[in-house]
Amino acid sequence: MLVEPRSGLLAAWGNALLAGLVSPDEAALAIVGEDAVHRVDGLPGEVGPVGLTLALGRLRGLGATGFRVALPVPGHPLGLSGPPDFNARALEAEEAVVAYGVPYGLVPEVAEAGPAGDVHVEVVWRVLPVREAPPADVPSLGEAERELAEALRDATAVLSRLDVAGSGPVAEAAVGAYRARAERGREVLAPGYPPRAVRVLEMAQRVGLLVSVAYENGHGGAVSASEIAARGEALRPVERVARRAQVAAYNAYVEGGEVRR
């Protein structure tokens, strides 16, 4: 969760585009980010892959009124609504975008190309039919904010008790460095999102960062099998809460009915 999922970027900037807050070129540039190129394959009326600007315009022309995010993992189909083929592809990618107003979703397929030392990332978004139904397990912004506060408090207490890396100064230093990078070069969400959605996404990213630091710095003082298991039990629900909060933030546009102009 240290990097915004590509589906989050596509949904957020696609929503800003639909609201008339950014141009097609601005939206495409923000979505592509540091990747080399993004293409969209499977659009109705197109015989092959097309660029993002054309694809977003085509989806709007077909009737899309918004985009929402799904971030599923095994055992947690977060944001999905079917059918099985789309769910399976989204689960494999661990992310997807679902359009409102048209029965289509997009799943990213990411590939690296180029020689060693000059590798670049290419993304193809596969357009697939989706079922128009309520997404699975997506909280409101208010619910997500409350869950994050509780999860962070509970997990910090457990990790501190187990002396696990990620609950002390190392984690706080990593969070500080991440915030500094974000302030220098990254806009949270896209223009028009409400401040509460920005706040929830920032908090979800902070929680995700703490979890990542805990995993990446080994077992800390949790040396017994039971203590390692206890750490896993503490981290899993926190990860789940953070992902739910991410989805709630990205989906604030479609859940709230409009992006503020």
Side-chain angles (χ1 to χ4, degrees), residues 161-198:
R161 187 171 68 248
L162 295 175
D163 189 24
V164 173
S167 60
V170 172
E172 291 304 320
V175 171
Y178 176 70
R179 283 177 173 168
R181 291 196 304 273
E183 290 172 359
R184 286 196 302 269
R186 183 181 63 85
E187 181 175 10
V188 177
L189 283 175
Y193 270 80
R196 191 174 200 177
V198 175

Short mmCIF file of all heavy atoms in Angstrom, two decimals, residues 161-198:
data_model
loop_
_atom_site.label_atom_id
_atom_site.label_comp_id
_atom_site.label_asym_id
_atom_site.label_seq_id
_atom_site.Cartn_x
_atom_site.Cartn_y
_atom_site.Cartn_z
N ARG A 161 3.69 -4.86 22.33
CA ARG A 161 3.81 -5.89 23.35
C ARG A 161 4.71 -7.03 22.88
O ARG A 161 5.45 -7.63 23.66
CB ARG A 161 2.42 -6.43 23.72
CG ARG A 161 2.42 -7.40 24.90
CD ARG A 161 1.02 -7.74 25.36
NE ARG A 161 0.30 -8.54 24.37
CZ ARG A 161 -0.75 -8.10 23.68
NH1 ARG A 161 -1.18 -6.86 23.84
NH2 ARG A 161 -1.37 -8.87 22.83
N LEU A 162 4.64 -7.33 21.59
CA LEU A 162 5.46 -8.41 21.04
C LEU A 162 6.85 -7.92 20.63
O LEU A 162 7.67 -8.71 20.16
CB LEU A 162 4.77 -9.02 19.81
CG LEU A 162 3.44 -9.73 20.07
CD1 LEU A 162 2.82 -10.16 18.75
CD2 LEU A 162 3.64 -10.93 20.98
N ASP A 163 7.11 -6.62 20.78
CA ASP A 163 8.39 -6.03 20.39
C ASP A 163 8.67 -6.28 18.92
O ASP A 163 9.76 -6.70 18.51
CB ASP A 163 9.54 -6.60 21.24
CG ASP A 163 10.85 -5.84 21.01
OD1 ASP A 163 10.78 -4.66 20.60
OD2 ASP A 163 11.92 -6.43 21.24
N VAL A 164 7.66 -5.99 18.09
CA VAL A 164 7.79 -6.21 16.65
C VAL A 164 8.21 -4.92 15.97
O VAL A 164 7.67 -3.86 16.24
CB VAL A 164 6.45 -6.69 16.06
CG1 VAL A 164 6.52 -6.77 14.53
CG2 VAL A 164 6.10 -8.06 16.62
N ALA A 165 9.19 -5.03 15.07
CA ALA A 165 9.58 -3.86 14.27
C ALA A 165 8.36 -3.34 13.54
O ALA A 165 7.60 -4.11 12.97
CB ALA A 165 10.67 -4.26 13.27
N GLY A 166 8.19 -2.04 13.54
CA GLY A 166 7.03 -1.44 12.90
C GLY A 166 6.16 -0.71 13.89
O GLY A 166 5.24 0.00 13.51
N SER A 167 6.44 -0.88 15.21
CA SER A 167 5.62 -0.21 16.20
C SER A 167 6.36 0.91 16.90
O SER A 167 5.86 1.49 17.84
CB SER A 167 5.15 -1.23 17.25
OG SER A 167 6.26 -1.83 17.89
N GLY A 168 7.58 1.24 16.46
CA GLY A 168 8.38 2.23 17.16
C GLY A 168 9.03 3.24 16.25
O GLY A 168 8.50 3.58 15.19
N PRO A 169 10.23 3.74 16.61
CA PRO A 169 10.89 4.82 15.88
C PRO A 169 11.20 4.49 14.42
O PRO A 169 11.14 5.36 13.57
CB PRO A 169 12.19 5.02 16.68
CG PRO A 169 11.89 4.51 18.04
CD PRO A 169 10.95 3.37 17.85
N VAL A 170 11.53 3.25 14.13
CA VAL A 170 11.84 2.88 12.73
C VAL A 170 10.62 3.13 11.85
O VAL A 170 10.71 3.69 10.75
CB VAL A 170 12.28 1.41 12.64
CG1 VAL A 170 12.41 0.99 11.17
CG2 VAL A 170 13.61 1.21 13.35
N ALA A 171 9.46 2.70 12.35
CA ALA A 171 8.24 2.89 11.58
C ALA A 171 7.91 4.36 11.43
O ALA A 171 7.54 4.83 10.35
CB ALA A 171 7.08 2.17 12.25
N GLU A 172 8.06 5.12 12.51
CA GLU A 172 7.75 6.54 12.45
C GLU A 172 8.68 7.27 11.48
O GLU A 172 8.26 8.20 10.77
CB GLU A 172 7.83 7.16 13.84
CG GLU A 172 6.72 6.68 14.77
CD GLU A 172 5.34 6.94 14.21
OE1 GLU A 172 5.11 8.01 13.62
OE2 GLU A 172 4.47 6.05 14.33
N ALA A 173 9.95 6.88 11.43
CA ALA A 173 10.89 7.49 10.50
C ALA A 173 10.48 7.19 9.06
O ALA A 173 10.55 8.05 8.18
CB ALA A 173 12.31 6.98 10.76
N ALA A 174 10.04 5.95 8.81
CA ALA A 174 9.59 5.58 7.46
C ALA A 174 8.36 6.38 7.07
O ALA A 174 8.23 6.84 5.94
CB ALA A 174 9.30 4.08 7.41
N VAL A 175 7.44 6.55 8.02
CA VAL A 175 6.24 7.33 7.75
C VAL A 175 6.62 8.77 7.42
O VAL A 175 6.08 9.39 6.48
CB VAL A 175 5.27 7.28 8.95
CG1 VAL A 175 4.14 8.28 8.76
CG2 VAL A 175 4.71 5.89 9.12
N GLY A 176 7.56 9.35 8.19
CA GLY A 176 7.99 10.72 7.94
C GLY A 176 8.60 10.89 6.56
O GLY A 176 8.31 11.85 5.85
N ALA A 177 9.44 9.93 6.16
CA ALA A 177 10.06 10.00 4.84
C ALA A 177 9.02 9.88 3.73
O ALA A 177 9.07 10.58 2.71
CB ALA A 177 11.10 8.89 4.69
N TYR A 178 8.04 9.00 3.95
CA TYR A 178 6.97 8.82 2.95
C TYR A 178 6.15 10.10 2.80
O TYR A 178 5.84 10.53 1.69
CB TYR A 178 6.08 7.66 3.38
CG TYR A 178 4.89 7.45 2.47
CD1 TYR A 178 5.07 6.97 1.17
CD2 TYR A 178 3.60 7.74 2.90
CE1 TYR A 178 3.98 6.79 0.33
CE2 TYR A 178 2.52 7.56 2.07
CZ TYR A 178 2.71 7.08 0.79
OH TYR A 178 1.64 6.91 -0.03
N ARG A 179 5.82 10.73 3.92
CA ARG A 179 5.05 11.97 3.87
C ARG A 179 5.82 13.07 3.14
O ARG A 179 5.24 13.84 2.37
CB ARG A 179 4.71 12.43 5.29
CG ARG A 179 3.58 11.64 5.94
CD ARG A 179 3.36 12.11 7.35
NE ARG A 179 2.18 11.48 7.94
CZ ARG A 179 1.88 11.53 9.22
NH1 ARG A 179 2.69 12.18 10.06
NH2 ARG A 179 0.80 10.94 9.69
N ALA A 180 7.13 13.15 3.38
CA ALA A 180 7.94 14.17 2.72
C ALA A 180 7.93 13.97 1.22
O ALA A 180 7.79 14.93 0.45
CB ALA A 180 9.37 14.13 3.26
N ARG A 181 8.07 12.72 0.78
CA ARG A 181 8.01 12.44 -0.66
C ARG A 181 6.66 12.82 -1.24
O ARG A 181 6.55 13.37 -2.32
CB ARG A 181 8.31 10.97 -0.93
CG ARG A 181 9.74 10.55 -0.67
CD ARG A 181 10.04 9.21 -1.32
NE ARG A 181 9.13 8.16 -0.90
CZ ARG A 181 9.30 7.41 0.17
NH1 ARG A 181 10.35 7.60 0.95
NH2 ARG A 181 8.44 6.46 0.48
N ALA A 182 5.60 12.48 -0.49
CA ALA A 182 4.25 12.77 -0.97
C ALA A 182 4.02 14.26 -1.13
O ALA A 182 3.44 14.73 -2.12
CB ALA A 182 3.22 12.16 -0.01
N GLU A 183 4.47 15.04 -0.15
CA GLU A 183 4.27 16.48 -0.20
C GLU A 183 5.04 17.11 -1.35
O GLU A 183 4.60 18.11 -1.92
CB GLU A 183 4.70 17.11 1.13
CG GLU A 183 3.76 16.75 2.28
CD GLU A 183 4.29 17.20 3.62
OE1 GLU A 183 5.41 17.77 3.65
OE2 GLU A 183 3.62 16.96 4.64
N ARG A 184 6.19 16.54 -1.71
CA ARG A 184 7.00 17.11 -2.79
C ARG A 184 6.41 16.83 -4.15
O ARG A 184 6.51 17.65 -5.04
CB ARG A 184 8.43 16.57 -2.73
CG ARG A 184 9.28 17.15 -1.61
CD ARG A 184 10.75 16.85 -1.88
NE ARG A 184 11.01 15.44 -2.01
CZ ARG A 184 11.35 14.66 -0.99
NH1 ARG A 184 11.43 15.16 0.23
NH2 ARG A 184 11.61 13.37 -1.17
N GLY A 185 5.81 15.65 -4.35
CA GLY A 185 5.49 15.32 -5.72
C GLY A 185 4.22 14.56 -5.99
O GLY A 185 4.01 14.15 -7.13
N ARG A 186 3.31 14.41 -5.04
CA ARG A 186 2.13 13.60 -5.33
C ARG A 186 0.89 14.25 -4.77
O ARG A 186 0.85 14.65 -3.62
CB ARG A 186 2.27 12.20 -4.71
CG ARG A 186 1.10 11.27 -5.03
CD ARG A 186 1.29 9.93 -4.35
NE ARG A 186 1.30 10.04 -2.93
CZ ARG A 186 0.21 10.05 -2.16
NH1 ARG A 186 -0.98 9.95 -2.71
NH2 ARG A 186 0.29 10.14 -0.85
N GLU A 187 -0.12 14.39 -5.60
CA GLU A 187 -1.41 14.87 -5.13
C GLU A 187 -2.22 13.68 -4.68
O GLU A 187 -2.38 12.70 -5.40
CB GLU A 187 -2.14 15.62 -6.25
CG GLU A 187 -3.48 16.18 -5.80
CD GLU A 187 -4.12 17.01 -6.90
OE1 GLU A 187 -3.63 16.99 -8.02
OE2 GLU A 187 -5.14 17.65 -6.61
N VAL A 188 -2.76 13.76 -3.46
CA VAL A 188 -3.58 12.67 -2.96
C VAL A 188 -4.93 12.70 -3.66
O VAL A 188 -5.58 13.73 -3.72
CB VAL A 188 -3.77 12.79 -1.44
CG1 VAL A 188 -4.69 11.69 -0.92
CG2 VAL A 188 -2.42 12.70 -0.73
N LEU A 189 -5.34 11.56 -4.21
CA LEU A 189 -6.57 11.46 -4.99
C LEU A 189 -6.48 12.41 -6.19
O LEU A 189 -5.41 12.68 -6.71
CB LEU A 189 -7.78 11.73 -4.11
CG LEU A 189 -8.18 10.55 -3.21
CD1 LEU A 189 -9.33 10.92 -2.28
CD2 LEU A 189 -8.55 9.33 -4.03
N ALA A 190 -7.60 12.92 -6.64
CA ALA A 190 -7.64 13.78 -7.82
C ALA A 190 -8.47 15.01 -7.48
O ALA A 190 -9.17 15.03 -6.47
CB ALA A 190 -8.26 13.00 -9.00
N PRO A 191 -8.41 16.04 -8.31
CA PRO A 191 -9.19 17.24 -8.03
C PRO A 191 -10.67 16.94 -7.82
O PRO A 191 -11.26 16.13 -8.54
CB PRO A 191 -8.98 18.10 -9.28
CG PRO A 191 -7.65 17.67 -9.80
CD PRO A 191 -7.57 16.20 -9.52
N GLY A 192 -11.26 17.62 -6.82
CA GLY A 192 -12.69 17.50 -6.60
C GLY A 192 -13.12 16.54 -5.52
O GLY A 192 -14.27 16.58 -5.08
N TYR A 193 -12.20 15.67 -5.07
CA TYR A 193 -12.59 14.73 -4.02
C TYR A 193 -12.74 15.48 -2.69
O TYR A 193 -12.00 16.42 -2.40
CB TYR A 193 -11.55 13.62 -3.88
CG TYR A 193 -11.83 12.42 -4.74
CD1 TYR A 193 -11.51 12.42 -6.10
CD2 TYR A 193 -12.44 11.29 -4.21
CE1 TYR A 193 -11.79 11.33 -6.90
CE2 TYR A 193 -12.70 10.19 -5.00
CZ TYR A 193 -12.38 10.22 -6.34
OH TYR A 193 -12.66 9.13 -7.13
N PRO A 194 -13.71 15.07 -1.86
CA PRO A 194 -13.93 15.78 -0.59
C PRO A 194 -12.76 15.57 0.38
O PRO A 194 -12.08 14.54 0.34
CB PRO A 194 -15.21 15.13 -0.04
CG PRO A 194 -15.27 13.79 -0.70
CD PRO A 194 -14.67 13.98 -2.07
N PRO A 195 -12.52 16.54 1.25
CA PRO A 195 -11.40 16.44 2.20
C PRO A 195 -11.44 15.17 3.04
O PRO A 195 -10.38 14.62 3.36
CB PRO A 195 -11.56 17.69 3.07
CG PRO A 195 -12.28 18.67 2.20
CD PRO A 195 -13.21 17.85 1.37
N ARG A 196 -12.62 14.69 3.38
CA ARG A 196 -12.68 13.49 4.21
C ARG A 196 -12.13 12.29 3.47
O ARG A 196 -11.46 11.43 4.06
CB ARG A 196 -14.11 13.21 4.65
CG ARG A 196 -14.21 12.13 5.72
CD ARG A 196 -15.62 11.96 6.25
NE ARG A 196 -15.62 11.31 7.55
CZ ARG A 196 -16.71 11.09 8.26
NH1 ARG A 196 -17.90 11.47 7.80
NH2 ARG A 196 -16.64 10.49 9.43
N ALA A 197 -12.38 12.19 2.16
CA ALA A 197 -11.85 11.08 1.37
C ALA A 197 -10.32 11.15 1.33
O ALA A 197 -9.64 10.13 1.44
CB ALA A 197 -12.41 11.12 -0.05
N VAL A 198 -9.78 12.36 1.18
CA VAL A 198 -8.32 12.54 1.18
C VAL A 198 -7.76 12.11 2.53
O VAL A 198 -6.74 11.41 2.60
CB VAL A 198 -7.96 14.00 0.88
CG1 VAL A 198 -6.45 14.22 1.00
CG2 VAL A 198 -8.43 14.39 -0.52
#
